């Protein structure tokens, strides 16, 4: 199967007071039709910039997409005209954000905003669009959808607003839905409802989802495949189960190790042992050197790591081959696999 | 005044339960006046905390967990009198904090300090971090000037910062480092109790692990008690010995850690556990949330007559809507539910 959306060697830089800083240092990803690709990593690693690039929304200035391609159904959209990009956005590729309040217009009702999104891409009357909006609100699980269509965003709870965002995002049956931390602002019981809804919608409409999160638990629940990012790079990529059960990059296993255990299995009368720690902090992007960005925090570091950046694929393997499997950007992991 | 630590907990596990708790809240209630709808209307109140009872024991951690708006912060702040309670008592080593005069309260503050959630806004951006950590010592006249400077150095090393960083400003530190500064400040007066209001919620999980381990090391070293607020059950299970689950201003379940996590009895506690993402629940395996709750919490301005959770509860019966369940003992826990789950 061909990927629906392929990112190849994408590079994004920003003008900052430290000069030109590389936010994405050549990342490659594939999104297959109908699957959920999880993108996980700590704050500042480049998750949102990756999402914005897929939407053609890198703010310029100060951002610059300096290299690489984003291929959607055979078309390199980094070269698409603004007009063509507006056409794709919302219709073929749509996005939901962390805080729905900032992306909904406070002075229009939920129904108006969804109807507007529908009329932008489809040749339907106002009345038809409104009926479709009500139907979408029902699909995303809003009770009394006809009454709620006439409500303003501030009259709704955070969970309901996120449902409205999802209704709007799927209104034109997109092929890719990008969700950037869609539940971070919500309570955990409401997050569970939104996750359930996103899985339902995927099943119903076959939409591919790019799920951005810093929560490995959310990855486990939502993702078929995962890309783990660190300091502007994808450092490990593969099937979610492989990454979670058999992480190869010391950063990935570190991240998994520092999550506190939860529930009956950990309900011992004894105190739980200290959490595993990754020492230190993520280095600022403008101070990254030539070697592996994780070297200063890595328990497996050796000389070569500081000199030479480990590539994501094992040497000599084409991108196409490795992206289907389990790829790691680590000299130590590579040695282990070769052995 | 010396800076000697309190007797520390045993090498393994939490401190044993003493006869008298360090802090005990009895019937603690907080309400906030709402703006009047007209000059002649009666004033409405938002009842943020409604008659909660809890104990923090010496050397142990009481966790308060619940969703946004359930009253966690208000409860904790009322317990250390940073928010005014309108009813109840808070006994600290046998004396009611709510009845203390200004001077007694000022002295009392040495023993009860606070760490806030947001490491960005809780530190004054214009002060050097050395001065920030020293501030409680100055305010409470603890020790001689020279001793204070030494104490600040010592605190920096205790929380894993370098003393040569004392002259820097808050913005020159990462989120995790700023939280270490907050912790050093809270430790300065050698308190017995530290209220931790979501101290790791704003941090990435890798940094969160560093800070949680640090908090536990410090607890063991100084025999500290924590009143620890979090909405993350994993964090609570790691650091807390006893746990109070709050819903809409009330405690709905109260138990020690092994009891609560082995078998949650209140449907809301079970729902929280069920909703928390877990590495074990995989998309590839397909999974279902049997006890998933519907909807959002009701508004605190508009409290139902019966159980506050009834509208969302998968176990609710007609009785739940009519009759309010009281918090009552149930096999080692306390639960406010007419139809609690099997143990
Ligand atoms: N407008 C901008 N100007 C300068 N730098 C930027 C800008 N937007 C993003 N960056 C930088 O790009 C990097 C990646 O940012 P991005 O927002 O993608 O991180 P993220 O992984 O989404 O983090 P978070 O989890 O905090 O949302 C960061 O180091 C950030 O500082
Ligand atoms: N100063 C105030 N004035 C009016 N209402 C307030 C005030 N502080 C809190 N409240 C209300 O009291 C209730 C409890 O709030 P509180 O901040 O204690 O909740 P919380 O459990 O700490 O929530 P969160 O997880 O969001 O921090 C909420 O309904 C809140 O809106
Ligand atoms: S009292 Fe009834 S509604 Fe409330 S939690 Fe128990 S079963 Fe549910
Ligand atoms: Mg982001
Ligand atoms: Mg709070």
């Amino acid at each position: 199967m061909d990927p629906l959306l392929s990112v190849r060697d994408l590079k994004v830089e920003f003008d900052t007071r430290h000069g030109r800083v590389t936010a994405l240092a050549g990342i490659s990803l594939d999104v297959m039709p109908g699957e959920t690709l999880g993108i996980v990593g700590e704050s500042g690693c480049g998750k949102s910039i990756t999402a914005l690039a897929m939407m053609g929304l890198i703010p310029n200035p100060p951002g610059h997409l300096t290299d690489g391609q984003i291929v959607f159904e055979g078309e390199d959209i980094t070269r698409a005209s603004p007009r063509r990009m507006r056409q794709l956005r919302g219709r073929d590729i749509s996005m939901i954000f962390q805080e729905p309040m900032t992306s909904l217009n406070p002075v229009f009702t939920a129904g108006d905003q969804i109807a507007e999104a529908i009329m932008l891409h489809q040749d339907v009357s106002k009345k038809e669009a409104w009926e479709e909006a009500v139907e979408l609100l029902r699909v995303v699980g809003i009770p009394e959808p006809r009454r709620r269509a006439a409500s303003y965003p501030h009259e709704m709870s955070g969970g309901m607003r996120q449902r409205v965002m999802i209704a709007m995002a799927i209104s034109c049956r997109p092929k890719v839905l990008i969700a950037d931390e869609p539940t971070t602002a919500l309570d955990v019981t409401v997050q569970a409802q939104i996750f359930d809804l996103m899985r339902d919608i995927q099943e119903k409409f076959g939409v591919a989802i790019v799920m951005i999160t810093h929560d490995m638990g959310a990855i486990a629940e939502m993702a078929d495949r995962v890309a783990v990012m660190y300091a502007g790079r994808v450092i490990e990529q593969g099937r979610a189960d492989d990454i979670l059960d058999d992480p190869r990059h010391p950063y990935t296993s570190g991240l998994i190790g520092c999550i506190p255990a939860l529930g009956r299995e950990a309900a011992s009368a004894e105190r739980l042992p200290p959490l595993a720690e990754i020492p230190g902090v993520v280095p600022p992007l403008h101070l990254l050197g030539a070697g592996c960005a994780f070297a200063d925090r890595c328990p497996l570091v050796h000389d070569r790591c500081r000199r030479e950046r480990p590539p994501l694929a094992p040497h000599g393997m084409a991108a196409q081959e490795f992206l289907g499997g389990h790829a790691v950007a680590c000299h130590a992991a590579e040695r282990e696999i070769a052995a | 005044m010396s800076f000697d630590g309190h007797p520390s907990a045993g090498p393994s596990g939490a401190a044993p339960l003493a006869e008298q708790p360090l802090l005990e809240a009895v019937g603690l209630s907080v309400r906030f006046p709402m703006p009047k709808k007209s000059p002649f209307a009666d004033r409405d109140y938002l009842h943020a905390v409604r008659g909660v009872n809890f104990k923090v024991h010496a050397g142990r951690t009481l966790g308060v967990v619940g969703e946004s708006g359930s009253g966690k912060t208000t409860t904790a702040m009322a317990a250390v009198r940073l928010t005014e309670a309108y009813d109840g008592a808070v006994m600290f080593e046998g004396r009611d904090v709510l009845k203390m005069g200004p001077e007694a309260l000022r002295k009392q503050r040495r023993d009860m300090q606070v760490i806030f959630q947001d490491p960005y806004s809780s530190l004054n951006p214009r002060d050097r971090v050395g001065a920030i950590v020293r501030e409680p010592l100055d305010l409470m006249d603890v020790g001689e000037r020279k001793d204070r400077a030494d104490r600040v150095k010592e605190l920096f090393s205790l929380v894993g910062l370098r003393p040569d960083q004392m002259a820097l400003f808050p913005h020159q530190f990462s989120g995790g480092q700023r939280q270490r500064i907050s912790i050093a400040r809270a430790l300065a007066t050698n308190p017995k109790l530290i209220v931790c209001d979501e101290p790791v919620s704003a941090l990435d999980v890798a940094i969160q692990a560093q800070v949680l381990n640090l908090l536990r090391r410090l607890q063991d070293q100084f025999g500290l008690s924590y009143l620890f607020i979090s909405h993350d059950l994993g964090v609570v299970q790691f650091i807390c010995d006893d746990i109070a689950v709050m819903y809409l201003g009330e405690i709905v379940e109260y138990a020690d850690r092994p009891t609560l996590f082995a078998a949650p009895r209140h449907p809301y506690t079970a729902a929280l556990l069920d909703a928390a993402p877990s590495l074990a629940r995989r998309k590839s395996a397909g999974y279902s949330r049997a006890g998933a709750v519907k909807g959002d919490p009701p508004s605190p301005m508009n409290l139902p007559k019966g159980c506050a959770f009834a509208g969302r509860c998968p176990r609710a019966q007609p009785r739940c809507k009519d009759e309010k369940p009281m918090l009552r003992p149930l096999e080692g826990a306390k639960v406010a539910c007419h139809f609690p789950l099997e143990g």
Side-chain angles (χ1 to χ4, degrees), chain B residues 188-208:
Chain B
T189 59
N190 210 4
K192 294 178 180 156
L193 173 74
I194 301 182
V195 170
C196 308
D197 188 1
E198 311 247 16
V200 296
S201 303
L203 305 177
D204 273 312
V205 56
I207 307 301
Q208 167 179 297

Side-chain angles (χ1 to χ4, degrees), chain A residues 43 157 187 189 191 193 196 199 202 220-222 224 241 245 262-264 266 271-272 275 277-278 280, chain B residues 67-68 204 209-210 213 216 220 234 237-238 257 261-262 277 281-284 287 289 293 295-296 312:
Chain A
S43 188
S157 68
D187 275 318
T189 55
Q191 165 171 286
Q193 297 166 15
D196 285 347
R199 277 192 312 267
Q202 181 163 64
E221 286 201 4
M222 299 297 291
D224 299 294
D241 289 343
D245 296 330
L262 177 62
R264 199 179 286 270
R271 211 177 213 214
L272 296 174
L275 298 165
E277 286 185 33
I278 306 175
Chain B
E67 288 177 288
S68 184
D204 273 312
Q210 297 172 0
N213 285 341
R216 214 161 74 171
D220 292 348
Q237 187 166 10
F238 173 72
R257 182 195 58 238
F261 285 100
R281 197 151 36 195
R282 297 293 170 79
K283 187 183 187 200
S284 62
Y287 65 90
R289 283 202 177 80
V293 297
D296 307 295
R312 306 173 74 195

Side-chain angles (χ1 to χ4, degrees), chain B residues 190-236:
Chain B
N190 210 4
K192 294 178 180 156
L193 173 74
I194 301 182
V195 170
C196 308
D197 188 1
E198 311 247 16
V200 296
S201 303
L203 305 177
D204 273 312
V205 56
I207 307 301
Q208 167 179 297
Q210 297 172 0
V211 172
L212 288 175
N213 285 341
L214 171 66
L215 284 171
R216 214 161 74 171
R217 273 201 305 278
L218 293 169
Q219 173 165 53
D220 292 348
Q221 195 170 349
F222 300 110
L224 292 165
S225 303
Y226 293 136
L227 177 54
F228 192 100
I229 297 174
S230 180
H231 62 269
D232 183 331
L233 282 166
V235 168
V236 165

Side-chain angles (χ1 to χ4, degrees), chain B residues 104-123:
Chain B
L105 185 61
R106 198 175 75 100
K107 288 221 180 74
Q108 184 63 50
R109 293 225 176 276
R110 283 184 188 178
D111 278 337
M112 22 183 238
Q113 293 286 318
V114 183
I115 303 168
F116 297 95
Q117 166 170 359
D118 186 352
Y120 296 88
S121 64
S122 61
L123 305 175

